[in-house]
Every structure is written in C-alpha cells, then in structure tokens.
Amino acid sequence: MSSRSLSAIVLLLGALIAACDASNGDRTQFFHNCRQNCERTNCSADGLEIQEQAVKFYQQSVFDRLFQWSCADECQYGCMWRTVLAFFERGWPIPQFYGKWPFLRLLGMQEPASVIFSCINFIVHLRMLRKFRREVRPDSPCYMLTHIFAVTSLNGWIWSAIFHTRDFPLTELLDYAFAYSIILCSLYVMVMRMLHRYSLFLRGVISLAFLSYYINYFAYLSVGRFNYAFNMMVNVATGVIAAVGWFVWCHFVRNRRPYFKRILRFYILMALAMSLELLDFPPILWILDAHALWHLATVPLASLYYEGLSDPAKGEGCGRRLFILQLVLFKTF
C-alpha cells in the first residue's frame, strides 16, 4: 500500500470519527500528526518560540507578534490549512477546527470580518451616546439610565473585537460574559423604564438585585469548564423576557404613543437579522461567515432606526423616551 493511500485511509477514519462533532478537522489523525511533527521540528520545548531555522519560513509580521502568535499557534494554523486542502482534494466537506470554520488570518486577526464589524458597532454606539449628550439635559428623565446601557454596550463590543482578534480562554470568557451584560442591561432598562415613577428605594433595590445576579453569573462562568449550552440558554431566556416586556409595554401604550409601531418594526427586522446566526456555512473567501454577517447586519439596522428621529431626545415625554427605547432595542438580543 502506497504512503498516499495510507494517508487517505487515516484521514478518512479521522473524518468519520469527527463526524459526530460537525466533522471537526482537529479530530483527524492527519491534523494531529501534522501538528505534532511541526512543533517537534520548528518549536522550542514550551511551544512558544520559533526555532531559528523556521523563522524565515513563518515570516511573522509585527501584528502576529503583537497578538502573540506562538510557534504552536503557527503550527496549528498551518496544519489547519493542510487539512482543509486534503479534504478539498478528496471532495469531502470543509471541516471545522475546535468548533470554528477555518479563517484566513489578516494583520494578526483570527476572524478579521467580525473584528471590523464589532469596531463599527462600537463607533455607532459611541456616536449615539455623544448625540444623546449633546441634545439631552443631564437632569432629564432616564439620562443616567441611557448612559449605563450605552457604556455597557461599548464595553461589550470592545471585548467582541478582542475575542475575534485572538481566541484565548480569557478573551472568550470576557466576550461571552460582557455580551450577556448587554442583554441583561436591556432587561434592566425595560424594568426601570416601567418603574420610573416609583420610589427611588424600590428602583435601588431592583438595581442592586440585577447587579448581584450579574456578578454571581460572571463568577459562575469563570469557574470550571465553560458551559456553552447553558450560557446560550440563559442569553435566550433573558432576551425573550426583555422582548416580551417591551411588547407588553407597546400593547398598553398603542393608543397614546403612535411610535410603538417603530418598536415592533425594529423587532421584526432584528429577528430577521438574527436568523443569520442560525445559518452555518464555510466563510466566504475564508473571511466572511454567518456570525460576521450578523455583526454587519446590526450596523445598517441601527442607522435605519436612528434616521427616523427628526428631533431625538428633545422635549418632554415621547421624544426623549423614544430615543431611550431605540438605544435599548438596538442591542436587546
């Protein structure tokens, strides 16, 4: 039996073993052997430094070094593409690696499209916050509440960009934890919006309860192995509760506040955009996947929503409250 035939059999067996987990390429023996050989030949004992004979081959850029691409990382990246090529040559489906599709690295970024779109979303939130501060008096109702939500969103998008730049256990934890903080904050804003006429003591107790819950949830995510399924369930449940709350509010104010239709329209558009997260396909040009498209969809969605404001957050009542609702709804899910 030729070495080529033997390699094909080994690769096929590895692919069959990985089929129960989305045919992940990292489970194949081909990938495993490639990575072991690469690290043994090119890396220092700790896998961090590239041996002198391999420095010219890898030609790391300043961004690669800045984002801490170690020798072991370079071996994993190179063997990932060798495995993809081996699958492609045999007409097999493109494999995933460690639960992710293969992405082309750009300027040291693992998922460049998601990084760019996360940064754009950050800019959108920052612009909206600055606009709000210019046009709304500090003594206006819900002024501080809007700032809390905006700052929470800005922080979430920062860590989204960091995580998609380099996927480390710490950056993964902070991305998921702070993404959930945005969803939880949207629920908090909805509750405070409905209770804004009640006593300061009641609102303070509820605020403390939200903060305590989030601190405990963050601690839970930080201890032990990260539970993706449970985290997703909590995110969905919190988002659904927030959405139901806003729908109930729209129902009761529909005769007094005609702008409730904008809120319903926004939710429909947001639901359509979220359908991108249900898709799962190899990245277009090895850069643009469904998750990146979801991040992109939130950008024009926000712009469309804010374009409907002729005089945002000015005057008493609906103008100011509409601005708050729009800022909240932009990141409800």
Side-chain angles (χ1 to χ4, degrees):
M1 180 180 295
S2 67
S3 59
R4 183 179 179 84
S5 299
L6 181 59
S7 298
I9 293 174
V10 171
L11 185 59
L12 176 60
L13 290 175
L16 292 175
I17 294 173
C20 61
D21 190 16
S23 298
N24 286 341
D26 61 279
R27 291 179 178 268
T28 63
Q29 193 64 39
F30 181 91
F31 176 84
H32 181 71
N33 291 341
C34 174
R35 186 173 178 179
Q36 275 193 333
N37 293 334
C38 176
E39 292 182 15
R40 183 171 55 250
T41 304
N42 302 315
C43 301
S44 59
D46 57 9
L48 298 178
E49 300 295 331
I50 300 176
Q51 298 284 20
E52 185 177 353
Q53 72 273 9
V55 170
K56 291 184 179 180
F57 174 77
Y58 286 111
Q59 295 182 338
Q60 284 192 317
S61 68
V62 62
F63 297 102
D64 297 329
R65 293 189 293 272
L66 176 64
F67 296 134
Q68 300 182 12
W69 283 87
S70 67
C71 183
D73 294 330
E74 293 287 1
C75 285
Q76 176 177 314
Y77 182 76
C79 290
M80 175 186 72
W81 288 113
R82 293 188 185 95
T83 306
V84 169
L85 178 61
F87 272 66
F88 181 77
E89 288 177 344
R90 291 162 178 79
W92 298 344
I94 295 173
Q96 291 185 334
F97 297 83
Y98 304 102
K100 292 186 176 183
W101 293 109
F103 289 91
L104 276 178
R105 193 169 76 198
L106 177 64
L107 299 178
M109 298 181 291
Q110 283 183 261
E111 301 176 46
S114 291
V115 174
I116 293 171
F117 299 149
S118 294
C119 291
I120 294 175
N121 276 284
F122 175 89
I123 294 171
V124 169
H125 271 278
L126 185 60
R127 289 183 59 189
M128 292 301 104
L129 177 60
R130 288 178 174 175
K131 187 175 184 180
F132 182 83
R133 291 172 63 88
R134 287 196 307 267
E135 300 180 354
V136 179
R137 301 189 313 273
D139 61 345
S140 300
C142 298
Y143 182 87
M144 184 56 65
L145 190 62
T146 302
H147 278 69
I148 291 173
F149 180 81
V151 171
T152 301
S153 298
L154 290 171
N155 180 65
W157 284 115
I158 287 174
W159 286 105
S160 173
I162 293 175
F163 168 67
H164 290 300
T165 298
R166 284 295 274 128
D167 180 359
F168 295 121
L170 179 60
T171 60
E172 179 184 55
L173 168 65
L174 295 177
D175 173 58
Y176 280 92
F178 289 131
Y180 179 64
S181 73
I182 299 175
I183 301 175
L184 183 64
C185 191
S186 71
L187 176 60
Y188 169 73
V189 172
M190 183 271 293
V191 173
M192 290 295 103
R193 171 63 186 85
M194 294 183 177
L195 300 178
H196 75 283
R197 296 183 183 277
Y198 286 76
S199 69
L200 180 62
F201 175 76
L202 176 62
R203 286 177 286 153
V205 170
I206 294 176
S207 298
L208 183 59
F210 269 88
L211 180 60
S212 300
Y213 164 75
Y214 178 72
I215 292 175
N216 278 277
Y217 186 73
F218 189 98
Y220 169 79
L221 294 180
S222 305
V223 178
R225 185 174 180 178
F226 192 90
N227 191 326
Y228 296 94
F230 179 76
N231 181 67
M232 178 60 69
M233 181 181 65
V234 172
N235 275 263
V236 171
T238 305
V240 168
I241 293 173
V244 170
W246 282 116
F247 278 126
V248 171
W249 186 85
C250 289
H251 173 75
F252 282 107
V253 304
R254 66 187 186 281
N255 296 325
R256 293 180 287 115
R257 310 195 189 283
Y259 59 81
F260 83 94
K261 294 180 180 179
R262 293 185 179 184
I263 300 173
L264 297 178
R265 187 184 309 124
F266 176 83
Y267 267 106
I268 294 173
L269 294 175
M270 181 61 76
L272 292 175
M274 284 191 66
S275 65
L276 290 169
E277 288 282 59
L278 302 178
L279 301 177
D280 192 25
F281 54 84
I284 301 171
L285 300 178
W286 306 111
I287 292 179
L288 198 62
D289 68 329
H291 185 71
L293 289 175
W294 151 244
H295 284 332
L296 176 62
T298 60
V299 177
L301 193 59
S303 301
L304 177 64
Y305 211 79
Y306 285 113
E307 284 175 1
L309 294 174
S310 59
D311 192 19
K314 289 184 178 180
E316 295 296 328
C318 64
R320 182 156 45 232
R321 287 191 283 267
L322 176 56
F323 179 84
I324 293 169
L325 285 172
Q326 288 173 327
L327 184 59
V328 170
L329 290 173
F330 173 52
K331 282 300 297 175
T332 292
F333 292 104

